Amino acid sequence: MKAGFIERSLRKLAFESDYASGAERIGAGKGLLQGVDPRVKVAGLFGLVMVAAASRQLPVIAVLFGAAFILALVSRIPVGRLAVWIWTPVLFFTGTVALPALFITPGRMVAALGPVSISAEGLHSAIMLLSRAETAATLSGLLVLTTPWPAVLRALRTFHLPVVFVVILGMTYRYIFVILQSAFEMMESRRSRSVGPLARAERRRIAASSVGVLLSKSLQLSGDVHLAMQSRGFRGEVRLLEDFHAKASDWVWLGGFAALAAAVVWWQR
Amino acid sequence: MKPVFELNEVHYRYDQVAAVDGVSLQIETGTRVALLGANGSGKSTLLRMLDALYFPDSGTIQFQGEALTADRFEDDALAFSFRRRVGLVFQNPDVQLFNPTVFDEVAFAPLQMGWKKDEVLARVDLALRQMEIVELRNRPPHRLSGGEKKRVALASVLVLDPEVLLLDEPTAALDPRSQSQVIDLLIGWAGTGKTVITATHDLSVVEDTSDYCYVLNRGKVVSHGTPGLVLSNTQLLAQANLIHGHRHVHPGGVAHSHPHVHPHNHD
Ligand SMILES: Nc1ncnc2c1ncn2[C@@H]1O[C@H](COP(=O)(O)OP(=O)(O)O)[C@@H](O)[C@H]1O
Ligand SMILES: [Mg+2]
């Protein structure tokens, strides 16, 4: 069996660009957002994500996406990294959700692909879905890529996010690649054991059981990681070497984020 | 002096398996103890209970005369004082290394203890030098080799200078050089007052690295004594799946009077 396109791309994503260590390098770099208090970034970028998610007009989303893109540039996040780590995966996952909307939404027909037709309304809702998802993901990416991970967790806790949630987020970030890797290993061993092409039903059955194994593997893994943290004194609060100190410039940033969010909301009134 | 650990009829089960099945034992302060057992004999589960990560379903575990119970660990002061004095190095370093850099990894425990910044920095420095990983300081731990990961994991626990060290298969899956480094550490802890409890199925390291052994089989202690005594009982070791139950002759006619490890080729 040949490896599928998605599988190959994901593998590339996981192994060649090693997200976690690359992200740490950018996070420690000397861009603009790197110098902003993590709490301000959490509040400001989260606000913009909410505004983007609630927005019903394409130009508004475009402005927010543009703002996110400019912030990425001044924070020296390479555009290639954004494409590989954020835009492509979001395109895959949201794309599969948006695709049916193209065909099943009734309305004025704009294009025909053989027996099926695409309506203007379908096209519009697919584009809205995708652009909102890409914008929200890029904004969240800005936070994660310009802030050392323990500081992100610490900042989330200052907003009283429950400990459990913070711990799960922490695990996911660190272990998503360990989990992806075991997924590939599983696929690989399946492929080497099976001779000839499998029936579609068989493939579906294997995929379903693989997901089950993977899920229980990752639960086991994150359970163990949590134990290892507890063993070294973790009691729910992450303590850092340097605690946060808001500077004058941080208040300016906070004001800036708030102004942008307010302007966008006012524009859509 | 009170024993460090005193276990009385300790039971622990996962859904379907009785992983630890009525273990009673006593570990004296300053001794190096080996928990010997094949895969699945319950070593890791026992170590996690000694580290108060799991609590017994029934039976009791006392640490320096005080019972380890989930209730008592609700108390922050007690928990921090225990975590400060007892350290566990997990078998799989991947579960133990979750920080962005080696420095952060080693600084994690002292920071959670609430130590002052200067002290944290000094202790981390010491631990990095002790484990000879100073040059790895700014590297992400999950990108290191197996041997390097193990040393980072050890440093991240040794940084607190715990009185009691729990090591889960510290020499498993290491290249020979890293393995002998770990073994040297274990040998070096003799007579330092540290209590070191090592879970292993590697008989070749037991004699040099422990003062006393417990042999586990299916969650039960089946034998205990000095390494010399335990290792000479080949019949028992075979029953516990720690050695093959067959006789063999080595090229050159070397005869061994005690069980030993050597490569088998079953293919
Ligand atoms: N998380 C778990 N869930 C269910 N069973 C487990 C779990 N961890 C260990 N076991 C089972 O408990 C028994 C003892 O395991 P363990 O303590 O890991 O032994 P050892 O460390 O000696 O290999 C084994 O039969 C193992 O399969
Ligand atoms: Mg084990």
Side-chain angles (χ1 to χ4, degrees):
Chain A
M1 250 196 286
K2 248 184 70 199
F5 171 66
I6 294 187
E7 184 190 334
R8 265 180 291 133
S9 317
L10 280 176
R11 182 201 304 278
K12 223 170 150 166
L13 186 72
F15 296 132
E16 286 174 19
S17 64
D18 185 357
Y19 173 76
S21 67
E24 292 306 332
R25 248 177 288 122
I26 295 172
K30 289 273 171 284
L32 257 193
L33 274 179
Q34 282 86 337
V36 178
D37 189 309
R39 291 168 299 180
V40 170
K41 284 189 276 189
V42 167
L45 292 168
F46 183 70
L48 292 182
V49 166
M50 295 313 285
V51 171
S55 163
R56 319 219 155 280
Q57 295 168 24
L58 207 52
V60 171
I61 300 174
V63 165
L64 286 170
F65 185 83
F69 190 71
I70 290 168
L71 283 173
L73 290 184
V74 297
S75 303
R76 304 195 188 170
I77 300 172
V79 177
R81 291 288 158 106
L82 280 179
V84 174
W85 287 337
I86 297 176
W87 297 335
T88 318
V90 171
L91 187 65
F92 274 142
F93 294 115
T94 318
T96 46
V97 180
L99 208 56
L102 269 183
F103 304 108
I104 60 177
T105 311
R108 189 169 48 86
M109 195 181 98
V110 289
L113 288 175
V116 290
S117 59
I118 296 173
S119 68
E121 286 76 3
L123 195 60
H124 182 252
S125 69
I127 289 174
M128 284 300 289
L129 192 64
L130 204 56
S131 59
R132 269 202 296 245
E134 292 284 9
T135 305
T138 309
L139 287 165
S140 327
L142 287 179
L143 169 70
V144 174
L145 289 174
T146 63
T147 319
W149 188 243
V152 175
L153 297 184
R154 178 90 183 87
L156 291 174
R157 279 294 296 153
T158 59
F159 292 101
H160 299 285
L161 205 67
V163 171
V164 182
F165 199 73
V166 172
V167 169
I168 291 174
L169 266 179
M171 303 293 116
T172 312
Y173 166 84
R174 166 63 184 85
Y175 289 93
I176 186 84
F177 291 90
V178 177
I179 291 164
L180 274 181
Q181 191 163 345
S182 46
F184 294 131
E185 278 161 12
M186 240 155 55
M187 285 188 215
E188 216 121 72
S189 71
R190 285 266 153 72
R191 188 169 310 116
S192 64
R193 268 180 290 155
S194 57
V195 267
L198 292 175
R200 180 171 302 189
E202 178 69 356
R203 273 215 303 269
R204 212 174 303 131
R205 195 188 58 72
I206 287 179
S209 76
S210 304
V211 168
V213 171
L214 206 58
L215 203 65
S216 83
K217 254 194 181 176
S218 26
L219 279 177
Q220 171 85 47
L221 186 65
S222 45
D224 282 354
V225 175
H226 191 210
L227 288 178
M229 293 174 81
Q230 280 177 291
S231 172
R232 278 151 72 197
F234 174 70
R235 302 274 295 166
E237 299 296 337
V238 187
R239 302 190 195 181
L240 301 178
L241 202 53
E242 304 287 351
D243 224 333
F244 305 139
H245 300 287
K247 306 174 293 290
S249 63
D250 290 321
W251 291 105
V252 174
W253 275 99
L254 191 61
F257 282 128
L260 180 57
V264 164
V265 170
W266 181 79
W267 181 13
Q268 293 186 89
R269 237 172 354 134
Chain B
M1 207 198 276
K2 279 192 197 128
V4 190
F5 285 111
E6 199 170 351
L7 281 69
N8 197 353
E9 276 299 305
V10 170
H11 291 260
Y12 188 92
R13 45 181 318 129
Y14 299 99
D15 288 340
Q16 317 193 347
V17 229
V20 172
D21 195 10
V23 166
S24 299
L25 53 82
Q26 198 163 313
I27 291 172
E28 303 302 331
T29 306
T31 52
R32 296 170 308 155
V33 174
L35 302 175
L36 270 172
N39 282 336
S41 58
K43 304 182 296 294
S44 298
T45 308
L46 192 55
L47 283 184
R48 287 168 182 209
M49 285 197 281
L50 295 180
D51 198 33
L53 296 171
Y54 297 165
F55 297 96
D57 294 334
S58 66
T60 57
I61 301 182
Q62 300 214 320
F63 172 69
Q64 299 180 341
E66 307 252 26
L68 296 181
T69 60
D71 283 351
R72 293 188 64 229
F73 269 79
E74 296 285 308
D75 178 32
D76 278 348
L78 178 112
F80 280 125
S81 128
F82 181 85
R83 301 284 173 227
R84 158 80 189 71
R85 290 191 287 166
V86 180
L88 168 62
V89 180
F90 284 68
Q91 175 175 356
N92 175 4
D94 270 327
V95 312
Q96 201 174 337
L97 306 177
F98 45 82
N99 280 280
T101 68
V102 168
F103 172 83
D104 292 308
E105 197 63 66
V106 180
F108 183 83
L111 285 171
Q112 307 319 305
M113 297 295 146
W115 291 359
K116 294 245 161 23
K117 185 178 166 182
D118 292 346
E119 178 156 24
V120 171
L121 293 175
R123 288 292 197 107
V124 171
D125 225 49
L126 189 68
L128 292 178
R129 272 185 284 134
Q130 197 179 359
M131 293 314 298
E132 298 171 22
I133 47 173
V134 177
E135 73 285 358
L136 303 180
R137 190 185 159 99
N138 296 317
R139 300 264 300 275
H142 63 283
R143 299 279 275 183
L144 302 176
S145 74
E148 290 169 334
K149 279 183 187 171
K150 199 68 179 190
R151 280 186 283 156
V152 174
L154 276 161
S156 73
V157 170
L158 289 176
V159 66
L160 293 179
D161 193 23
E163 295 158 31
V164 181
L165 262 169
L166 309 169
L167 307 173
D168 201 350
E169 314 237 6
T171 55
L174 288 185
D175 58 280
R177 200 180 76 91
S178 315
Q179 213 169 51
S180 69
Q181 252 176 344
V182 173
I183 293 170
D184 286 347
L185 263 178
L186 287 167
I187 294 173
W189 279 321
T192 57
K194 245 188 221 324
T195 309
V196 185
I197 304 172
T198 311
T200 183
H201 59 245
D202 184 354
L203 297 180
S204 68
V205 304
V206 170
E207 201 143 12
D208 292 331
T209 61
S210 68
D211 310 312
Y212 204 82
C213 313
Y214 287 92
V215 181
L216 290 173
N217 191 22
R218 295 162 187 266
K220 291 182 159 63
V221 173
V222 291
S223 158
H224 58 101
T226 60
L229 195 74
V230 166
L231 292 181
S232 63
N233 191 345
T234 32
Q235 199 187 344
L236 184 116
L237 294 176
Q239 272 167 17
N241 289 317
L242 283 161
I243 52 172
H244 289 285
H246 61 244
R247 287 179 178 282
H248 44 249
V249 177
H250 287 269
V254 183
H256 289 271
S257 57
H258 59 88
H260 58 279
V261 177
H262 65 104
H264 280 263
N265 195 351
H266 291 292
D267 296 333

